[in-house]
Amino acid sequence: MPENNRTKLLIARRVPNAVASRAVSEFRAYVTESDMDAWSVVDFCKKHDVPAVLIGKKSGLQEDHIAALPSTVKIIANASAGVDHMNVAFALERGIVVTNAPDALTECTADFSMLLVLAACRRASEYERIMRSGWGKSFGMTEMLGTRVNGKTLGIVGFGRIGRAVAKRAQAFGMKVAYTDIQRASPALENGAMFYPSLEELLPHSQVLTLHVPGGGTPLMTKKEFGLLPEGAVFVNAARGALVNEDALYEALTSGHLFGAGLDVYRNEPHVDVRFAGLQNVFLTPHMASATIETRDQMGFTALDNIAAVLDGQKALNPV
Ligand code: DGY
């Protein structure tokens, strides 16, 4: 850690250069070159008495790690929206502020969710593979047809920032929007979307369904919920793999009940259930919904802003 008068900070995950430069100019920062695991974070904090740590998924601090942190640690900042990789409740109990970066990734995650909707509806994965293997056969009027998004209803589970940003995009593609959430949004936020008070009520109306709720707990989408979707529905998940029972999803995809799926997140990341890789009707991406240069910079800057505020004695900007 470089010696100067500024406050110490541990950047425990690999961050974009712009974020690292800012960290080094504003703090007495140690910036890791590769993502640190949780015990390495604990050891570092003990050795250097740092008051602030920026972590990511790989350094997911659980109860025993947090218990072992020195009392110098005042804030754990996550450069992500999701914080399911750490035990937030235990950190808060210990008086450590936990923050996330909820706004930074809204637009890019919504773009990507729409990409999954379009790719799954329009068989992008199959078309791409055909081209890469040389094509060589024109398709007739009835062959390799996708399903139209215009005029269909997009069911959104979770009408927070990302859910609402997806709704806007879907409306621009001529889709109707329906949603469910713990409570109904104001008419201004709803912007014409139809509210259903429960997932069970939303599902039968969702020709395309997309999830935008935090992960954790029991899966939302099991055999029963997939069964409630209309025949030929498309399922999209750029939220968290833990929300889905993957056996049930696989069955719904192979039985023909679902037309297809667009998936960016999986239960056992960074591994994908290989059965999905064998299916034609799924479009698969490796948890990249927020992965743009601009958004990743913004996610890191948000974490630094939170750290600066808390170490300055102010309230966190994005407390969890
Ligand atoms: C998030 O920030 O939660 C995204 O899923 C990226 O990890």
Side-chain angles (χ1 to χ4, degrees), residues 42-120:
V42 172
D43 290 345
F44 189 98
C45 290
K46 278 183 169 165
K47 198 160 158 216
H48 298 279
D49 292 334
V50 293
V53 193
L54 184 157
I55 65 160
K57 261 184 274 189
K58 185 147 180 225
S59 33
L61 298 164
Q62 299 310 319
E63 189 169 327
D64 47 351
H65 308 119
I66 295 167
L69 285 174
S71 58
T72 46
V73 176
K74 301 283 174 265
I75 170 167
I76 300 170
N78 292 278
S80 58
V83 287
D84 47 320
H85 50 265
M86 69 169 287
N87 188 332
V88 175
F90 191 70
L92 297 181
E93 238 173 69
R94 286 212 52 201
I96 300 172
V97 177
V98 177
T99 64
N100 68 343
D103 294 315
L105 44 72
T106 301
E107 300 305 327
C108 280
T109 303
D111 288 346
F112 205 86
S113 304
M114 205 59 213
L115 178 151
L116 295 177
V117 168
L118 293 170

Side-chain angles (χ1 to χ4, degrees), residues 13 57 79-84 105 238-240 265 287 290 296 299:
R13 82 181 291 191
K57 261 184 274 189
S80 58
V83 287
D84 47 320
L105 44 72
R240 284 293 181 266
V265 289
H287 200 147
S290 67
R296 289 289 164 88
M299 289 162 76

Side-chain angles (χ1 to χ4, degrees), residues 164-316:
R164 295 195 303 269
V166 174
K168 275 194 199 150
R169 286 154 175 77
Q171 282 162 340
F173 278 87
M175 299 185 86
K176 294 174 215 138
V177 174
Y179 75 97
T180 189
D181 206 324
I182 300 166
Q183 45 185 45
R184 186 168 182 172
S186 67
L189 292 180
E190 229 172 37
N191 192 28
M194 171 81 101
F195 174 66
Y196 289 95
S198 70
L199 180 63
E200 285 70 23
E201 287 162 279
L202 173 75
L203 292 172
H205 304 279
S206 303
Q207 291 158 306
V208 181
L209 186 80
T210 181
L211 306 184
H212 297 289
V213 286
T218 50
L220 271 185
M221 294 299 297
T222 67
K223 189 177 166 72
K224 175 183 154 224
E225 286 77 20
F226 282 115
L228 288 172
L229 285 169
E231 195 75 27
V234 166
F235 175 72
V236 163
N237 189 9
R240 284 293 181 266
L243 296 167
V244 177
N245 176 321
E246 290 186 341
D247 288 337
L249 172 58
Y250 181 78
E251 196 190 310
L253 284 163
T254 48
S255 68
H257 181 63
L258 291 184
F259 178 83
L263 306 175
D264 186 46
V265 289
Y266 310 88
R267 289 198 80 81
N268 191 23
E269 293 181 15
H271 305 289
V272 56
D273 181 331
V274 287
R275 291 177 302 169
F276 291 117
L279 294 182
Q280 296 290 326
N281 56 344
V282 290
F283 182 82
L284 303 169
T285 53
H287 200 147
M288 299 305 274
S290 67
T292 62
I293 297 161
E294 297 83 351
T295 289
R296 289 289 164 88
D297 281 356
Q298 198 51 50
M299 289 162 76
F301 292 149
T302 302
L304 295 182
D305 290 342
N306 276 290
I307 290 167
V310 169
L311 296 186
D312 200 31
Q314 297 162 33
K315 281 197 177 149

Side-chain angles (χ1 to χ4, degrees), residues 3-19:
E3 287 302 320
N4 61 35
N5 292 330
R6 286 167 291 207
T7 318
K8 291 179 188 172
L9 162 65
L10 169 60
I11 306 276
R13 82 181 291 191
R14 181 90 204 268
V15 290
N17 289 342
V19 178

Side-chain angles (χ1 to χ4, degrees), residues 15-28:
V15 290
N17 289 342
V19 178
S21 306
R22 192 181 135 190
V24 169
S25 72
E26 290 178 17
F27 301 89
R28 195 169 144 197

